[in-house]
Amino acid sequence: MRYLRSTLLAAAGLIAFLGFWEAMPRLGLINPAFLPPPSTLPAAFLREISLGIWPEAVVASLSHYIVGLAVGAGAGIGLGLLSGMFRPFEAFTAWIVRLLRPIPGLAWVPFAIIWFGVQPSAAVFIIAIGVFWIVFFATQGAVRHVDRDLIEVAQAFGFRSPLSRLVKILLPAATPGILVGLRTALGQAWMAVVAAEIFGVPGVGQRMMQASSLLSTDIVVVYMLTMAALYGLFDTAFVALQGWLLRWRA
Amino acid sequence: MTERPGDTPIIDIRALSLAYERGGTRNVILSNLDLSIARGEFLVIVGESGVGKSTLLRVLIGLAKPSSGRVRLDTRPGCRTPMALVFQDARLLPWRRVVDNVAFGLEGAGLSRAARRTKATEMLALVGLADLAGRWPHQLSGGQRQRVAIARALAVEPDVLLMDEPFSALDSFTREGLQDELQRIQAKTGKTILFVTHDIDEAVTLADRVVVLAGSPGRIAAEVRLDLSRPRQRRAPALTEAARHLRAELSRRSAEL
């Protein structure tokens, strides 16, 4: 009952929002070229699909997203584990981390273009950097906070090598923390996708820039909503995966 | 399985000392401790907290290094896990189902997954938890968790079972239940058990021999042998008498120190 009511309220809120949005340009309060009413969006969406632009842009962006995420998360988890497990490694990298960490991912755009050109690999690079730091710190912290008592259990049963410590205790115990980092990275990476593509790498961001320079704002909004939908999809899938992986928790 | 004259002790500890430095002060936990445990013996070490009884177990299992002294084992040669430890808190791995927690120690033993599961299921049956094999640790009560920890330790077929105040965090009903259970398991498996507790009644209920550690660093203050048939009647006159004697020794020693 309570659930039903909050669902109804949420739907009502969304409808009110769309109604307000529709009314503003229709009543001439805002130039429709600056804010296209939502009723024009389905047509714009269908046009983009029939031209084959939408699928192409979405596939391109998704491939940047997924590859960038995989590279950044892989490196972040790997180095985070090393840093969390071995104090000397952490000490050795401490100042390097301090130097590089504050540099925003987007500040790497010039080098991304110089090194990779206006190519998908440049977008992957920028996305990966943003993801890397989030996942690196999440992993390092999670490993460091693993219950010492559980590590002792492994030792008491004869698992004394760093590798068996990692596999038997650290990795499973750190999984909840790593997953929290990954979920944050999932959102961060979307931001980086758009940013990277705005500089010309083919994809959703590039298409948005094209459309806005032609003042086709309906198309811009179509892609904005596309990104919201894709993010929602990924996040929902991730939360489901997380729930399954952490089903051992109370 | 009882000690016979001439048998070599399964564990022989000689002149064991353990000390560490912290902030310039030297803390002596164990000093010159001699102790031997016979094969099949149920030895209980009792003492107040801080006398080094847990440290002794940690040395035996390899979690702490002695400063000096010697521990000689007469366990099966080449055995990967001559001893297994049951901790005070069960310390189950929360991400493993009960059966996989029990199988944990077998994973370095070169057994197939199926063989490990079979062994683990057997051990769960031994501690009376066969039905809970598929549960997660957070779904168990404190007593059940500790049973799983005992099964996990027994699964590796150790020559000696080390137990570090394993029942002290449980309510008294559960504790007495597990004490009976442990006696039954020992009768069935003939394991040598080295059990540490601060509870004198628990000590006399379980032990073939009770050793009292007192002082700081801990020294052997008293020793009692209990040749009583099992299963034992809780608070039987002989046990009460032994407990009284141990209490008296303990307070006498504490007063001396």
Side-chain angles (χ1 to χ4, degrees):
Chain A
M1 197 61 211
R2 193 189 221 134
Y3 177 76
L4 183 70
R5 208 173 68 175
S6 64
T7 308
L8 282 175
L9 271 173
L14 184 63
I15 289 167
F17 172 71
L18 291 174
F20 178 73
W21 176 3
E22 184 75 32
M24 294 303 279
R26 292 247 176 244
L27 296 174
L29 295 170
I30 294 180
N31 183 343
F34 290 174
L35 183 68
S39 58
T40 62
L41 298 178
F45 179 51
L46 290 175
R47 212 162 54 238
E48 287 291 293
I49 286 189
S50 64
L51 290 171
I53 297 171
W54 189 87
E56 203 179 314
V58 165
V59 166
S61 287
L62 279 183
S63 77
H64 304 157
Y65 180 66
I66 290 166
V67 177
L69 205 57
V71 170
I77 291 174
L79 290 172
L81 288 173
L82 279 177
S83 170
M85 279 178 82
F86 303 110
R87 290 278 169 183
F89 183 83
E90 192 206 335
F92 183 72
T93 54
W95 286 6
I96 305 174
V97 167
R98 242 194 232 184
L99 183 72
L100 297 181
R101 180 200 186 180
I103 300 171
L106 297 187
W108 288 94
V109 167
F111 274 113
I113 291 171
I114 291 165
W115 290 342
F116 301 101
V118 182
Q119 294 292 324
S121 46
V124 166
F125 175 73
I126 290 165
I127 295 161
I129 283 184
V131 168
F132 171 79
W133 289 116
I134 298 169
V135 176
F136 173 79
F137 285 110
T139 305
Q140 185 197 47
V143 169
R144 201 171 304 147
H145 289 109
V146 170
D147 190 350
R148 305 292 312 166
D149 287 357
L150 296 183
I151 296 172
E152 276 189 3
V153 171
Q155 289 173 337
F157 280 95
F159 301 113
R160 288 164 186 274
S161 71
L163 182 67
S164 56
R165 185 158 37 110
L166 175 68
V167 174
K168 304 246 175 254
I169 305 293
L170 296 180
L171 208 46
T175 297
I178 294 174
L179 289 178
V180 168
L182 278 177
R183 192 174 170 203
T184 312
L186 229 52
Q188 188 71 33
W190 256 138
M191 215 141 62
V193 166
V194 183
E197 291 173 356
I198 279 174
F199 294 99
V201 180
V204 169
Q206 186 209 35
R207 180 64 185 149
M208 282 167 72
M209 286 311 282
Q210 282 174 357
S212 84
S213 65
L214 302 170
L215 230 58
S216 305
T217 45
D218 50 350
I219 293 175
V220 175
V221 176
V222 163
Y223 284 102
M224 287 168 78
L225 295 178
T226 297
M227 284 191 296
L230 288 176
Y231 173 73
L233 206 67
F234 273 85
D235 193 56
T236 307
F238 187 83
V239 168
L241 175 74
Q242 195 177 25
W244 183 78
L245 283 173
L246 302 183
R247 65 197 181 285
W248 48 270
R249 294 214 289 193
Chain B
M1 277 298 185
T2 49
E3 191 186 11
R4 283 178 203 89
D7 271 3
T8 47
I10 196 161
I11 298 178
D12 192 31
I13 298 162
R14 288 286 155 243
L16 189 77
S17 298
L18 189 145
Y20 65 90
E21 303 240 351
R22 181 174 292 164
T25 48
R26 190 171 152 81
N27 293 292
V28 184
I29 309 296
L30 293 168
S31 170
N32 248 336
L33 184 76
D34 294 328
L35 185 67
S36 61
I37 299 145
R39 193 173 301 276
E41 185 178 28
F42 198 140
L43 176 65
V44 176
I45 299 178
V46 60
E48 295 162 6
S49 46
V51 296
K53 50 196 197 309
S54 292
T55 305
L56 177 62
L57 296 191
R58 294 173 64 83
V59 167
L60 290 174
I61 199 78
L63 290 174
K65 269 201 171 28
S67 313
S68 63
R70 200 185 47 138
V71 175
R72 208 177 55 210
L73 300 178
D74 188 30
T75 49
R76 280 168 296 160
C79 178
R80 204 182 72 91
T81 45
M83 289 181 265
L85 174 60
V86 177
F87 295 88
Q88 180 177 1
D89 42 343
R91 299 200 191 178
L92 304 183
L93 308 181
W95 55 84
R96 286 171 175 249
R97 291 183 195 274
V98 164
V99 65
D100 295 322
N101 260 291
V102 176
F104 178 68
L106 299 169
E107 286 170 10
L111 296 172
S112 71
R113 190 179 162 83
R116 294 198 301 261
R117 285 235 167 163
T118 308
K119 180 77 189 168
T121 310
E122 237 172 73
M123 290 301 124
L124 278 173
L126 181 66
V127 298
L129 292 183
D131 297 344
L132 302 185
R135 296 275 185 92
W136 299 108
H138 76 83
Q139 297 172 311
L140 307 183
S141 69
Q144 289 170 334
R145 272 202 281 274
Q146 204 52 280
R147 281 169 197 253
V148 174
I150 293 169
R152 173 174 70 183
L154 290 172
V156 299
E157 298 186 341
D159 284 347
V160 182
L161 185 61
L162 307 174
M163 306 185 85
D164 187 5
E165 305 196 25
F167 307 147
S168 63
L170 305 173
D171 65 73
S172 61
F173 294 107
T174 312
R175 180 160 60 234
E176 294 193 352
L178 279 176
Q179 287 167 356
D180 294 345
E181 188 87 16
L182 184 61
Q183 293 189 70
R184 188 183 60 74
I185 290 169
Q186 202 236 2
K188 195 166 167 183
T189 60
K191 285 279 176 239
T192 308
I193 299 180
L194 177 51
F195 188 108
V196 156
T197 181
H198 58 250
D199 178 344
I200 290 178
D201 293 318
E202 178 168 76
V204 297
T205 303
L206 294 174
D208 294 323
R209 181 161 61 108
V210 181
V211 166
V212 176
L213 276 189
S216 174
R219 291 170 187 285
I220 296 179
E223 195 174 325
V224 169
R225 196 172 285 279
L226 295 146
D227 287 319
L228 299 168
S229 64
R230 295 179 189 269
R232 286 180 179 167
Q233 201 69 46
R234 210 174 287 282
R235 307 197 191 291
L239 296 185
T240 318
E241 172 55 27
R244 197 196 54 75
H245 169 68
L246 288 171
R247 281 201 178 86
E249 283 298 311
L250 198 55
S251 58
R252 193 172 63 81
R253 283 309 186 103
S254 301
E256 279 173 17
L257 291 162

